[in-house]
Amino acid sequence: IGFFWLHERAWERLRFGREEVQPVVVWLTGLPASGKSTLSQWVSDALRRKGFKVEQLDGEMVRRLFPQTGFTRPERDEHVRRLGFLASKLEQQGVCVVAATVSPYADSRAFVRSVCRNFLEVHVATPVAECERRDPKGLYAQARREEIRNFTGVDDPYEAPLSPEVRVDPGTMTIEQAGTQILAAVQERMRSRPGPNDRSGDVAQTR
């Protein structure tokens, strides 16, 4: 028993021949009904099966916790920054984060990138026509009838990422194909050693 105990303690301190991984913040951004949540679930499940600690965050879930948050640009910006700050804190604790949120503005996403150490932006680039066709809640139709305002893709802009780490289109590929592409990029980033506030990827746009 004593030999086994000493072996375990020594193995925990031995780094030679062992691959060290870095937690990743996977940020899925795209139009409403683009498939972000479905992809987020697929990637989260795949990472858990590989033994990683994973926390899945969803923009709608956080809005339910803060129901006073509206949909003006300042309110959307606050919402995304709040979600990004939470993701960065989980990352610091060694947890991989998979976040699915519209996050329509480039400057808000740039803030999230700046507070995360290992940030991987995924643009779920489903065209607006396809999002509107598959919309399960009928929100696009309500926005077209002006029953709801400030709806991204109708009367509020979506600033698509210029150079995300990953771009997928669930309208032209299966969820498994898109998820596999994201998972490959995540695993590559886990093996890399990015510097703090790595800003490669999304570039802020001006309106």
Side-chain angles (χ1 to χ4, degrees), residues 110-130:
F111 168 81
V112 179
R113 183 183 292 275
S114 74
V115 298
C116 296
R117 181 176 178 82
N118 200 1
F119 181 83
L120 187 128
E121 183 176 53
V122 178
H123 179 205
V124 184
T126 310
V128 64
E130 175 63 17

Side-chain angles (χ1 to χ4, degrees), residues 34-193:
S34 59
K36 298 182 299 298
S37 295
T38 302
L39 273 172
S40 171
Q41 187 66 60
W42 193 99
V43 173
S44 297
D45 290 344
L47 288 172
R48 291 189 185 102
R49 286 194 297 269
K50 292 179 178 294
F52 297 108
K53 293 188 293 184
V54 180
E55 187 64 49
Q56 191 175 356
L57 300 179
D58 188 273
E60 291 188 14
M61 174 192 70
V62 175
R63 279 188 176 278
R64 287 195 293 270
L65 295 175
F66 299 92
Q68 73 279 8
T69 305
F71 291 90
T72 64
R73 183 167 184 131
E75 289 170 321
R76 286 179 183 272
D77 183 65
E78 179 184 2
H79 171 67
V80 171
R81 287 169 178 261
R82 183 185 290 135
L83 195 64
F85 180 75
L86 174 59
S88 73
K89 292 303 178 183
L90 288 167
E91 180 194 22
Q92 290 175 18
Q93 299 303 313
V95 178
C96 290
V97 178
V98 183
T101 178
V102 175
S103 49
Y105 309 127
D107 52 357
S108 300
R109 297 192 302 267
F111 168 81
V112 179
R113 183 183 292 275
S114 74
V115 298
C116 296
R117 181 176 178 82
N118 200 1
F119 181 83
L120 187 128
E121 183 176 53
V122 178
H123 179 205
V124 184
T126 310
V128 64
E130 175 63 17
C131 294
E132 193 164 356
R133 185 195 66 78
R134 65 166 67 178
D135 179 19
K137 299 179 181 178
L139 296 178
Y140 281 92
Q142 293 180 51
R144 299 290 184 196
R145 295 193 298 266
E146 299 185 354
E147 295 173 4
I148 55 177
R149 304 301 300 271
N150 300 320
F151 188 80
T152 304
V154 178
D155 63 343
D156 199 68
Y158 176 74
E159 299 172 354
L162 296 179
S163 53
E165 283 76 9
V166 181
R167 196 187 307 273
V168 295
D169 179 1
T172 60
M173 57 201 315
T174 67
I175 291 297
E176 289 74 18
Q177 289 171 330
T180 299
Q181 183 177 335
I182 296 168
L183 186 62
V186 171
Q187 292 180 295
E188 180 63 30
R189 289 299 292 267
M190 283 179 170
R191 291 189 290 268
S192 67
R193 296 173 179 271

